[in-house]
Amino acid sequence: MALMHAPSLRALGPDGGTPGIQRFHMRRVASGSWMKSGVQMGSAFVMMQHAISTLRKTNRRGDSHRFSITARASAPSFTANDVVVVYDRNSKVAGEVVVAVEKDSAMAPKKVDYAVLPSSDASSLAELARQRGLTEKEMKRLTKTHSASAVLPSGALIQNLELDPWPLLRELRYRTCLEYPKLDEWKEMEEKYFVPLRSMKGPWWKQPEALDLLAKQLDEVGFVIIDDFLPENMARAMKASNMKLYEESEMQEGATTGGSERVGIPHRGDVLKWIGYDGESEASRCVSAFVEHIEQSMLAIGDAASTVAPEVARAVSSVKWRSETMLTCYPGKNRARYFRHTDNSSGNGRLLTALVYLNENWQQGDGGELRLFYPGEKNLKVRMEVEPLWNRLLLFWSDDRSPHEVLSTCKDRFAATVWFYDQTNPTIPLTEVGSISTGSAAAPAPLDDSDTTQKQAPETPAAEVMAKVEETAPGLILFYDGSDAEMVELSESLDATCRRVDLRSGDVEEALGQAGEPWVTMLADGADAVIQEAGPLFLCLPNGEVLKNGQKERWMLE
Ligand SMILES: O=C(O)CCC(=O)C(=O)O
Ligand SMILES: [Fe+2]
């Protein structure tokens, strides 16, 4: 298992086009209906015809128009990227929404990805429901008479557009204003940071080259990503605490200064719970170990930075406080998202944001990516879309260097976040960095966190060993061939915090269990079978990964 994976940049958008907000001539009038260019709407039909002809003249897409108010072809006329506007075509107010969208899009500087679907088109609607995972309840809303709604590519709905089309217009404009990096910009980042980091084996935090590169990356692009970040059992314990709070409805809705309904669907759709470090609850013990791990890593990056990126070193050394840990869930059923923001645009003292994602088996298409932008409060150029993968750390500057948003998610999406402060903030419970010491132990891990059911009791001897190992929260283990004097000497030269296990001793079965059942099974053929596979000296990481032939890879021993 590689310790690092370069995150993929999904869906590189088309190049070019200056992002900017188009002037738009529409205002809401007191009556609850709305006016366009100061002219009261005529009949929906006439206005639609007008919209079509205007669009034909001005359409920048150059493709044939996708919306038809008469008979439809059987193939659905929307693509996976389209925002689909579903409306009651017999309703004037609903038709006006379509007109507004067509007009606004015709003026857009870039192609607007949308399609229009009358709610009477049952077969296309069924296809839409299938592709975007819409529920029956959602379908009912879409087919309500006199209504217009929009379905985002993620499946999120924007409803009641007949009362106010602005939430949709804003969403569409926002989408056209996004700018994606050019391929060579992306390649440069990939080659400079992610390729070399991916090629490094072993515990990244022990490798000076990795730390140097991470320090440089934080300096030059403002964020770093480290996969397989926490010891596996710590990540599991964090996920279990997070899920328990969510399932027991112990979480509150995330709030922002922007209000909750800024754009028609909630501005921020997560639920969360803050957990402090008094160690009095399971969750608190868990986050204490978690935050200690993050702090050590952040400080190690800061140390490395002193030669390669002095500004980063200075900044990291100015960190004095940490927030409580925020456990979040973005519920898939609401297609939750969090609109573009920065974590410290108002001088709230935050310097660095550290997040660990806790989502196993995350697939492309599940959504929930963290979209990072280039610096600047108003910059709409996307730097990267980071998938919220299992046990992935994302660290970035909390200020205007890192505007970001959470894209709408289809699956419950879990994360743990802590903010590091270089200035105190009396309105928030802060604790001093370095004030926690939990040793290297993590809270005990549950056996299974993918659902609420518990795993079967272990049946085989190897499984028993595994269960015991999970309970004992293991750290690094160095295995060596005790019959080889050179290996004994080499193993003794190692850091004293690492557990050493002689492959010829009685402890070996239990210790090797950390590496997983195949290794324990191999041991049944004798220590030589294991040595043949992994060499006379090898390291087992807390996540079970085995780094073979340590006698040749000397960095492992440093
Ligand atoms: O969960 C995430 O990826 C980021 C959440 C976020 O931006 C925030 O809570 O400020
Ligand atoms: Fe944020």
Side-chain angles (χ1 to χ4, degrees):
M1 186 189 351
L3 272 186
M4 306 224 180
H5 308 285
S8 59
L9 181 72
R10 293 186 36 227
L12 269 182
D15 289 336
T18 318
I21 303 288
Q22 279 279 302
R23 294 280 155 264
F24 189 74
H25 316 289
M26 184 177 287
R27 65 188 166 88
R28 195 114 159 62
V29 291
S31 68
S33 70
W34 37 276
M35 295 182 78
K36 186 162 62 65
S37 304
V39 180
Q40 182 68 46
M41 290 287 187
S43 89
F45 183 78
V46 171
M47 295 308 288
M48 277 187 238
Q49 293 296 346
H50 175 67
I52 293 166
S53 68
T54 311
L55 198 83
R56 284 207 172 117
K57 282 183 215 135
T58 56
N59 189 355
R60 286 162 183 270
R61 288 178 287 201
D63 55 355
S64 64
H65 190 256
R66 269 187 254 153
F67 130 63
S68 158
I69 54 168
T70 55
R72 299 182 45 78
S74 55
S77 53
F78 52 85
T79 67
N81 283 335
D82 281 339
V83 172
V84 179
V85 185
V86 181
Y87 79 110
D88 175 1
R89 77 172 188 206
N90 296 316
S91 156
K92 176 172 177 272
V93 280
E96 286 173 352
V97 172
V98 175
V99 175
V101 169
E102 296 288 355
K103 283 269 187 186
D104 202 35
S105 310
M107 293 189 293
K110 281 204 245 171
K111 176 176 174 285
V112 182
D113 288 324
Y114 77 97
V116 177
L117 206 61
S119 50
S120 55
D121 183 348
S123 68
S124 294
L125 260 187
E127 182 55 20
L128 185 70
R130 193 190 63 73
Q131 286 186 17
R132 302 199 178 173
L134 303 178
T135 62
E136 258 176 47
K137 215 163 134 195
E138 286 168 329
M139 291 298 281
K140 262 201 187 134
R141 286 187 210 142
L142 289 179
T143 48
K144 225 171 73 190
T145 50
H146 301 297
S147 81
S149 314
V151 186
L152 303 190
S154 64
L157 300 195
I158 312 183
Q159 296 174 68
N160 301 326
L161 296 171
E162 69 286 358
L163 301 178
D164 179 5
W166 268 108
L168 173 59
L169 299 180
R170 281 198 207 98
E171 177 75 27
L172 291 173
R173 275 184 205 183
Y174 177 60
R175 285 167 182 264
T176 62
C177 292
L178 290 175
E179 192 193 343
Y180 281 85
K182 299 197 171 49
L183 207 54
D184 49 358
E185 287 173 301
W186 161 244
K187 272 193 185 146
E188 188 189 325
M189 191 159 70
E190 165 77 6
E191 274 157 26
K192 197 161 175 192
Y193 305 110
F194 296 123
V195 170
L197 284 171
R198 220 191 283 127
S199 74
M200 289 179 195
K201 292 192 215 137
W204 65 272
W205 59 94
K206 291 259 178 185
Q207 295 185 68
E209 301 92 319
L211 289 167
D212 284 358
L213 211 52
L214 292 168
K216 269 194 210 145
Q217 192 186 350
L218 192 56
D219 187 37
E220 289 168 10
V221 294
F223 73 94
V224 297
I225 291 170
I226 300 163
D227 283 331
D228 296 324
F229 175 67
L230 300 174
E232 189 69 9
N233 59 340
M234 193 189 285
R236 289 193 173 282
M238 289 293 290
K239 173 75 181 276
S241 290
N242 201 331
M243 275 195 44
K244 188 162 183 283
L245 291 165
Y246 177 59
E247 279 164 5
E248 293 175 358
S249 305
E250 292 285 324
M251 291 178 154
Q252 75 205 46
E253 281 176 20
T256 58
T257 48
S260 63
E261 296 282 342
R262 253 203 244 168
V263 271
I265 44 182
H267 179 65
R268 172 173 182 178
D270 57 332
V271 288
L272 61 90
K273 176 111 183 152
W274 292 98
I275 310 286
Y277 310 108
D278 58 14
E280 281 174 14
S281 65
E282 175 76 23
S284 171
R285 287 188 288 280
C286 226
V287 300
S288 300
F290 162 79
V291 94
E292 193 192 6
H293 198 79
I294 295 206
E295 260 167 43
Q296 282 170 0
S297 313
M298 180 182 72
L299 295 175
I301 294 175
D303 278 353
S306 51
T307 44
V308 295
E311 271 304 293
V312 171
R314 195 198 49 73
V316 171
S317 68
S318 71
V319 168
K320 297 209 171 42
W321 298 273
R322 72 171 95 79
S323 68
E324 294 179 331
T325 292
M326 183 179 81
L327 300 180
T328 55
C329 176
Y330 284 70
K333 67 176 189 300
N334 307 339
R335 315 285 173 151
R337 66 195 276 190
Y338 189 165
F339 283 85
R340 191 179 176 290
H341 64 281
T342 50
D343 290 350
N344 177 7
S345 48
S346 55
N348 61 15
R350 289 170 172 174
L351 178 74
L352 279 162
T353 303
L355 277 145
V356 174
Y357 295 113
L358 299 165
N359 307 295
E360 289 129 317
N361 306 320
W362 200 261
Q363 309 283 333
Q364 270 209 5
D366 289 344
E369 292 87 351
L370 186 94
R371 181 183 275 158
L372 274 169
F373 294 87
Y374 276 78
E377 205 194 345
K378 301 209 166 99
N379 200 336
L380 284 161
K381 183 164 172 184
V382 175
R383 172 96 78 179
M384 179 156 209
E385 286 170 359
V386 180
E387 290 161 340
L389 301 185
W390 172 250
N391 205 1
R392 164 174 280 183
L393 170 88
L394 174 65
L395 182 72
F396 57 85
W397 304 113
S398 307
D399 58 17
D400 288 350
R401 279 172 282 185
S402 314
H404 56 279
E405 72 176 305
V406 179
L407 301 186
S408 176
T409 180
C410 306
K411 272 196 191 162
D412 291 349
R413 170 196 189 270
F414 294 92
T417 311
V418 58
W419 280 275
F420 292 101
Y421 286 68
D422 60 353
Q423 285 163 37
T424 189
N425 184 332
T427 62
I428 289 162
L430 296 178
T431 43
E432 274 178 33
V433 162
S435 60
I436 291 176
S437 183
T438 55
S440 58
L447 289 175
D448 186 2
D449 59 2
S450 59
D451 57 31
T452 48
T453 53
Q454 285 292 306
K455 263 191 183 163
Q456 292 288 308
E459 287 163 9
T460 63
E464 272 163 28
V465 171
M466 289 293 291
K468 195 163 151 214
V469 166
E470 284 194 28
E471 269 168 30
T472 53
L476 285 175
I477 307 177
L478 181 78
F479 292 91
Y480 63 97
D481 180 357
S483 66
D484 180 333
E486 200 188 326
M487 294 309 133
V488 176
E489 197 182 321
L490 208 52
S491 76
E492 280 167 356
S493 69
L494 232 201
D495 184 342
T497 57
C498 178
R499 180 174 167 202
R500 294 167 55 246
V501 174
D502 180 348
L503 279 162
R504 312 275 172 189
S505 75
D507 289 347
V508 68
E509 184 179 1
E510 170 264 318
L512 209 52
Q514 179 177 322
E517 194 172 339
W519 291 92
V520 177
T521 309
M522 217 181 302
L523 196 63
D525 295 333
D528 287 333
V530 177
I531 291 168
Q532 196 174 347
E533 180 57 35
L537 185 136
F538 61 90
L539 201 58
C540 179
L541 306 187
N543 65 7
E545 188 176 5
V546 170
L547 305 175
K548 301 175 186 177
N549 291 314
Q551 78 285 2
K552 291 188 201 150
E553 303 264 351
R554 296 300 289 249
W555 59 264
M556 265 200 240
L557 307 179
E558 281 159 13

